[in-house]
Amino acid sequence: SLDAINVTVLTNRRTAIDLAAGRPLLGEFMRDLSDSGDPNQGRKPAIVINEIMADNKTAFMDPDEPQEYPDWFELYNASGLYIDMGGMYLTDNAANLRQYRIPDGVTIAPRGYLVFIADGETEQGPLHVPFNLSKDGETLVLYDVDERGNQAIDQWAFESMEADESYGRSPVDASAWVQLEAPTPGQFNQPITTTEFVYLPTISTINACY
């Protein structure tokens, strides 16, 4: 055939990954049948909780329900591969590890962000969790799938927040959490507000530039 095909990336001797859709190609001739089929080989997936807003009043509108401003939090994939999050769990209740099972088919792109809406309205879509965040502070946890023993992938115990106040990982030191001057859902965390002005250098040598 003269039709063009897309070349995919083979990882860990398992199967090819469609980089456009982020889904594995399941042809068994491409899979190492002696392994478990676990693309992480039991390792913790490289996903972190990246930003949280626990008292959203006007900062970020619910993309699935106009004029609603629910709490939200953001996850970040620090790896260079798509990660299938189906079967992982999110919770803000230490006594209920399986408070919300992320539905099958939810993936997070390489170096990508995924914003979850904490409004208790799961019928609005897979990125809506069945709990709200407390503006007085609590602990948010992301747990791994059952097959990998539900290890805690990441968690953050945050303190009280003011309305429309956002906290996120520092772009300078990812282990430190800082208050962001402006929320950045689905984007790189910015600790300071950018300016619309561009400041050009002063040329001090006469006739240096024409």
Side-chain angles (χ1 to χ4, degrees):
S1 172
L2 297 178
D3 293 337
I5 62 171
N6 291 325
V7 177
T8 56
V9 177
L10 189 66
T11 62
N12 295 334
R13 299 176 62 211
R14 286 175 165 72
T15 186
I17 297 175
D18 183 340
L19 293 182
R23 300 184 182 279
L25 303 179
L26 299 179
E28 289 299 334
F29 64 94
M30 303 183 74
R31 185 187 300 274
D32 182 352
L33 299 181
S34 66
D35 67 28
S36 65
D38 176 8
N40 290 293
Q41 295 183 307
R43 297 186 300 269
K44 182 187 296 186
I47 303 174
V48 296
I49 301 169
N50 195 57
E51 187 176 356
I52 290 178
M53 179 175 284
D55 190 16
N56 181 22
K57 298 297 186 185
T58 62
F60 178 66
M61 185 184 298
D62 185 343
D64 300 306
E65 190 174 8
Q67 305 308 316
E68 291 294 321
Y69 293 85
D71 305 335
W72 57 272
F73 57 91
E74 172 191 87
L75 304 182
Y76 173 67
N77 177 5
S79 79
L81 296 173
Y82 281 86
I83 296 179
D84 181 3
M85 296 193 66
M88 296 180 185
Y89 296 91
L90 287 162
T91 184
D92 69 340
N93 182 352
N96 187 2
L97 179 153
R98 294 177 173 83
Q99 190 172 13
Y100 182 62
R101 181 189 184 280
I102 299 176
D104 295 338
V106 174
T107 60
I108 183 168
R111 317 294 180 192
Y113 303 87
L114 206 55
V115 176
F116 283 83
I117 308 299
D119 59 359
E121 299 177 347
T122 56
E123 70 277 2
Q124 291 188 6
L127 301 184
H128 290 255
V129 299
F131 55 84
N132 304 105
L133 299 177
S134 172
K135 64 181 180 181
D136 296 323
E138 59 180 350
T139 300
L140 179 66
V141 189
L142 172 66
Y143 286 105
D144 208 345
V145 297
D146 297 336
E147 292 78 8
R148 286 193 291 269
N150 302 126
Q151 60 184 327
I153 296 173
D154 195 29
Q155 59 184 309
W156 188 49
F158 59 91
E159 299 180 352
S160 61
M161 296 186 187
E162 299 295 328
D164 291 338
E165 190 174 75
S166 170
Y167 279 81
R169 292 182 182 274
S170 167
V172 178
D173 178 5
S175 65
W177 283 74
V178 296
Q179 180 181 348
L180 306 178
E181 288 195 10
T184 57
Q187 303 177 45
F188 181 77
N189 289 351
Q190 294 282 355
I192 59 174
T193 305
T194 57
T195 175
E196 295 180 357
F197 295 96
V198 176
Y199 297 93
L200 299 178
T202 300
I203 303 300
S204 57
T205 302
I206 299 177
N207 298 326
C209 297
Y210 297 92

